[in-house]
Structures are given as structure tokens and as C-alpha cells.
């Protein structure tokens, strides 16, 4: 080999090496630029995800507030239900007291107080059967129905003319024996 050929080979190798170095440098430059672009994209995505996370946190806070509001509303409704229950119990007690007073006034209904006062006058089976109230006519069916007069005398119901109840049908039943009120 000649020195000219040797110089040509060395120049060829140097040129190839220079091309390789330039290619590596350009490749690194592209890679650095690609990394910069990727970093920018990642930062933008992180910002978007952070905004999404804040929105989810805000939604969670709203849901928590709604749950607390629902608890407050439920407690208010429970309190309202308790108040209505107490009102209903008061009305029921008032109604029962009114019925008790009506029974005390009604001579056809025997209450436990009257029963205790007149036990000696009642038949043995009626005195101890434990009813709170009874219709006097149901207890003594053999006694004719009597209605007290203002002067204190008794009039049997057969002496009182019956009023028509529906149309021309005369009333023959006794309202006190149909449905005695028991508590």
C-alpha cells in the first residue's frame, strides 16, 4: 500500500467518524428536545389532573355538606314526629277522659266507680266479671227498658212512641244495647 492510499483510508475513516459524531450529536439534540416537549406535556397533564383533583375534592366537600344537611333535616323530622306523637297522645287522652266523663253521666252505662258503690245491689256474676264498663240493659235483659222522667218516675220504652229511623220503618232497637262502649 502506498502512502497515498493510506492517507485516503485515514481520511475516509476520519470522515466516517465525523459523520458518526455528527449523527450522535444530532440524535442527542433531538432526544433532549423530545424530552423537553415530553416534560412540558407532563406538566400540562399534571396541572389538568390537579384541577380535576380539586374539583373532586370540592364535590366531596359538597357531598359531605349535603350529608350533614340531610342529618339535620332527618333530626328535625324526628323531632316533628315526636311532637305529633305527643299531640296525638294528648288528644287520645283527652278523648278517653271525655268518654269516661260521658259514661259517668250516662245512667245506662255502669262504670267501675258506680260498680264499686253498688256491688251489693248487682247480681253476683255481674259484680265480679272484671269489665270496666257495661251497658246496664245488657246486664239485666229481663228488666224492661226504662227511661227516667224529669220528675224521677220511670217510663218504659214500650210506652214511648217510636220515631221512624229510615223512611217509614219504625225504630225497634235500643241504641244502648247494640254497641256498648268499652275501653
Amino acid at each position: 500500500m502506498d502512502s497515498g492510499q493510506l492517507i485516503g483510508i485515514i481520511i475516509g475513516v476520519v470522515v466516517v467518524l465525523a459523520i458518526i459524531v455528527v449523527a450522535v450529536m444530532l440524535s442527542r439534540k433531538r432526544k433532549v428536545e423530545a424530552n423537553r416537549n415530553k416534560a412540558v406535556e407532563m406538566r400540562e397533564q399534571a396541572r389538568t389532573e390537579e384541577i380535576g383533583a380539586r374539583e373532586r375534592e370540592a364535590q366531596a366537600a359538597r357531598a359531605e355538606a349535603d350529608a350533614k344537611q340531610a342529618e339535620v333535616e332527618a333530626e328535625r323530622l324526628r323531632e316533628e314526629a315526636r311532637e305529633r306523637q305527643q299531640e296525638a297522645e294528648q288528644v287520645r287522652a283527652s278523648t278517653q277522659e271525655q268518654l269516661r266523663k260521658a259514661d259517668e253521666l250516662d245512667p245506662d252505662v255502669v262504670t267501675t266507680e258506680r260498680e264499686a258503690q253498688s256491688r251489693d245491689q248487682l247480681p253476683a256474676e255481674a259484680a265480679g266479671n272484671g269489665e270496666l264498663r257495661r251497658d246496664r240493659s245488657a246486664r239485666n235483659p229481663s228488666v224492661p227498658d226504662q227511661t227516667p222522667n224529669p220528675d224521677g218516675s220511670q217510663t218504659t220504652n214500650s210506652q214511648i212512641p217510636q220515631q221512624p229511623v229510615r223512611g217509614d220503618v219504625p225504630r225497634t232497637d235500643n241504641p244502648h244495647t247494640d254497641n256498648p262502649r268499652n275501653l
Side-chain angles (χ1 to χ4, degrees):
M1 286 210 194
D2 191 7
S3 70
Q5 284 182 339
L6 188 60
I7 292 177
I9 292 176
I10 292 175
I11 290 177
V13 170
V14 169
V15 170
V16 170
L17 285 176
I19 292 174
I20 291 174
V21 168
V22 170
V24 168
M25 286 174 58
L26 287 177
S27 150
R28 281 189 182 169
K29 193 174 184 183
R30 277 190 230 139
K31 191 173 183 179
V32 168
E33 190 64 34
N35 285 343
R36 282 186 188 133
N37 290 337
K38 189 172 182 177
V40 168
E41 288 176 11
M42 289 173 72
R43 285 184 188 107
E44 287 177 7
Q45 185 179 2
R47 285 185 201 123
T48 304
E49 288 177 0
E50 184 178 346
I51 291 171
R54 286 181 185 169
E55 286 177 358
R56 284 190 284 281
E57 287 173 353
Q59 289 172 349
R62 271 187 249 129
E64 181 69 25
D66 290 344
K68 287 181 182 180
Q69 179 65 29
E71 288 173 5
V72 168
E73 181 68 16
E75 185 59 33
R76 185 188 66 77
L77 289 174
R78 279 188 211 100
E79 185 63 32
E80 186 178 319
R82 280 188 220 112
E83 289 173 4
R84 288 186 180 179
Q85 181 66 28
Q86 288 174 350
E87 289 174 7
E89 289 173 2
Q90 289 173 352
V91 168
R92 184 178 294 118
S94 172
T95 303
Q96 294 298 327
E97 181 63 21
Q98 188 175 5
L99 282 173
R100 188 190 60 78
K101 287 179 182 179
D103 288 344
E104 287 177 2
L105 292 175
D106 191 351
D108 292 333
V109 176
V110 176
T111 62
T112 51
E113 292 174 7
R114 285 192 200 152
E115 185 177 273
Q117 293 172 357
S118 63
R119 263 201 188 151
D120 298 331
Q121 301 168 355
L122 295 177
E125 71 272 358
N129 69 359
E131 289 183 21
L132 293 177
R133 322 185 242 174
R134 289 185 302 272
D135 190 336
R136 189 176 282 158
S137 62
R139 187 186 65 226
N140 295 325
S142 62
V143 177
D145 293 335
Q146 296 182 345
T147 305
N149 289 331
D151 63 356
S153 65
Q154 298 287 329
T155 305
T156 61
N157 286 344
S158 60
Q159 296 171 347
I160 299 174
Q162 296 291 327
Q163 304 260 342
V165 176
R166 294 181 195 161
D168 296 319
V169 179
R171 184 173 180 170
T172 59
D173 61 337
N174 185 350
H176 295 292
T177 59
D178 286 345
N179 291 322
R181 287 179 281 157
N182 290 329
L183 288 177

